[in-house]
Amino acid sequence: MVREKIRVSTRTLQWKCVESRTDSKCLYYGRFILSPLMKGQADTIGIAMRRALLGEMEGTCITRVKSEKIPHEYSTIVGVQESVHEIIMNLKEIILRSNLYGTCEASICVRGPRSVTAQDILLPPYVEIVDNTQHIASLTEPIHFCIELQLERNRGYHIKTPNNFQEKNYPIDALFMPVRNVNHSIHSYRNGNENQEILFLEIWTNGSLTPKEALYEASRNLIDLVIPFLHAEEENLHLENNQHKVSLPLFTFHDRLAQLRKNKKKIALKSIFIDQLELPPRIYNCLKKSNIYTLADLLNNSKEDLIKIERFDIEDVKKILDTLENHFGIYLHLTKTKNKR
């Protein structure tokens, strides 16, 4: 085992990729470090990240096959070398990359004699195959081989159950986990009078994403799980005082947003995510569902765009602007209107 000589800063927490390699199309490896950590912190982060990488990541799999010519899962097809069960097992091994939400349909329709591979699957444009050479079946006679497939994006491992079986329609065990394995180790050292630690994190993926992408996505998923705790009390106060909301004049939003945009060049907008703004969970979730992830995304929306977001009101817009002022030291004057009697 090769030990890297690592210089760590005692001022800021930093991470680094110390090794990255591609063992095959379906196996990527990455090794990362995070330092300097106080005693005990490395284990806390390592355990949490391992669980997030293995349990909270989503992947895309073939979850069902349908064909009028298949009487049952353990039958054979004339002119096909493999049994139906072997074909289903081969389909299970195919690795997909997508931004799919929910399920979609795909199909295979070829004529033999020939070898059927993953490249023969007709997919929607938002789904890709990691390894097109993966084998599915061998056609030994001039027959038409046509099957329909169901694709699904999910997380974890789903086992087919008897309730999932339908006529001419067969479920497939699905391993949605794009991360194949995660190891973490800790190096302790003495820095002056303090005991500090370095966290080493090893990640293996199936090729549908790189270890660095997996680390990024798992970190965001972990943040999403715990961020509601930061605003639990604030959210309750918001609900209790909902009837006493103060209206915000719509015309002031444009002026405030314009002033924020003038400062865009001074801020690394794309590297600042909305979860760093400490917005209430309801506002954060509404923005996320509208594909607003970074400060740049937020500032590229107009007043009208934000008002149209589902479950959004003008009070939420006011909260966003106040938060931006607090985080970036920008004071934007808010004109108050007098109530007409």
Side-chain angles (χ1 to χ4, degrees):
M1 179 178 178
V2 179
R3 293 177 178 261
E4 296 86 354
K5 292 184 178 180
I6 304 162
R7 294 183 179 180
V8 296
S9 170
T10 58
R11 297 180 181 178
T12 57
L13 200 62
Q14 297 180 340
W15 74 275
K16 180 180 179 182
C17 178
V18 294
E19 185 179 354
S20 178
R21 67 172 186 262
T22 301
D23 294 331
S24 68
K25 289 183 179 180
C26 300
L27 185 60
Y28 288 15
Y29 170 81
R31 190 165 183 246
F32 308 87
I33 61 170
L34 180 67
S35 65
L37 296 164
M38 296 176 64
K39 185 177 180 180
Q41 290 182 336
D43 209 28
T44 301
I45 297 172
I47 293 172
M49 285 304 303
R50 186 176 189 276
R51 293 184 66 88
L53 284 161
L54 292 175
E56 300 299 327
M57 302 287 293
E58 291 188 345
T60 305
C61 292
I62 299 172
T63 56
R64 193 173 290 275
V65 58
K66 181 179 180 180
S67 175
E68 297 297 329
K69 296 182 179 181
I70 301 177
H72 57 82
E73 183 181 354
Y74 297 98
S75 62
T76 58
I77 303 174
V78 176
V80 180
Q81 181 175 317
E82 291 83 0
S83 67
V84 173
H85 179 72
E86 289 174 321
I87 294 172
I88 290 177
M89 291 299 99
N90 290 337
L91 290 170
K92 178 183 175 180
E93 297 298 322
I94 292 176
I95 298 171
L96 303 171
R97 178 192 297 115
S98 79
N99 56 1
L100 168 70
Y101 289 93
T103 62
C104 71
E105 304 298 322
S107 63
I108 300 174
C109 194
V110 296
R111 179 176 173 81
R114 56 168 295 179
S115 176
V116 183
T117 65
Q119 188 174 6
D120 297 309
I121 302 177
L122 300 177
L123 295 167
Y126 45 83
V127 181
E128 300 177 18
I129 296 174
V130 172
D131 184 2
N132 284 325
T133 65
Q134 287 181 276
H135 180 74
I136 297 175
S138 298
L139 309 184
T140 58
E141 297 181 13
I143 63 168
H144 286 285
F145 179 78
C146 296
I147 58 175
E148 297 177 16
L149 306 173
Q150 176 182 281
L151 313 182
E152 181 180 346
R153 183 176 177 85
N154 213 316
R155 63 187 181 91
Y157 183 65
H158 290 198
I159 302 176
K160 59 186 178 183
T161 62
N163 295 333
N164 289 334
F165 284 87
Q166 303 172 13
E167 186 178 2
K168 313 294 185 182
N169 198 324
Y170 306 97
I172 303 175
D173 292 343
L175 181 63
F176 293 105
M177 301 157 55
V179 177
R180 289 295 184 243
N181 192 21
V182 180
N183 285 335
H184 82 275
S185 57
I186 301 168
H187 171 67
S188 300
Y189 65 99
R190 190 86 174 167
N191 185 10
N193 295 326
E194 293 184 0
N195 290 323
Q196 295 187 339
E197 298 176 339
I198 301 174
L199 172 65
F200 289 84
L201 201 61
E202 294 180 287
I203 304 172
W204 289 263
T205 68
N206 65 359
S208 62
L209 75 174
T210 66
K212 186 179 291 186
E213 291 170 337
L215 186 63
Y216 172 83
E217 187 175 335
S219 300
R220 290 191 55 79
N221 290 342
L222 198 56
I223 291 172
D224 290 345
L225 288 174
V226 300
I227 200 170
F229 292 116
L230 297 176
H231 309 287
E233 183 176 352
E234 182 180 349
E235 184 71 6
N236 290 334
L237 289 174
H238 175 79
L239 294 175
E240 292 173 2
N241 301 324
N242 193 44
Q243 65 273 22
H244 304 296
K245 292 192 298 184
V246 179
S247 61
L248 172 69
L250 290 177
F251 68 87
T252 63
F253 181 85
H254 176 76
D255 298 334
R256 303 178 79 186
L257 195 58
Q259 185 168 347
L260 278 172
R261 289 197 177 107
K262 290 180 182 179
N263 294 273
K264 287 176 70 175
K265 294 182 179 179
K266 300 179 182 179
I267 307 170
L269 301 179
K270 290 184 178 180
S271 63
I272 299 176
F273 295 90
I274 59 173
D275 49 22
Q276 297 174 261
L277 302 181
E278 298 183 0
L279 294 167
R282 186 178 61 80
I283 295 178
Y284 169 74
N285 290 329
C286 288
L287 292 174
K288 187 177 177 183
K289 288 180 180 179
S290 300
N291 297 321
I292 298 174
Y293 300 104
T294 67
L295 186 56
D297 297 335
L298 181 60
L299 296 184
N300 283 333
N301 282 271
S302 66
K303 168 193 68 179
E304 291 77 14
D305 294 332
L306 292 180
I307 294 298
K308 290 177 182 178
I309 294 177
E310 186 178 357
R311 298 179 59 205
F312 239 58
D313 55 36
I314 195 63
E315 185 69 15
D316 297 327
V317 176
K318 177 180 179 297
K319 177 64 179 177
I320 291 174
L321 294 174
D322 291 341
T323 301
L324 293 176
E325 290 175 3
N326 294 334
H327 275 71
F328 302 107
I330 302 171
Y331 176 75
L332 302 178
H333 180 66
L334 173 61
T335 304
K336 297 183 179 178
T337 57
K338 296 182 179 180
N339 296 329
K340 293 182 179 181
R341 298 184 180 270

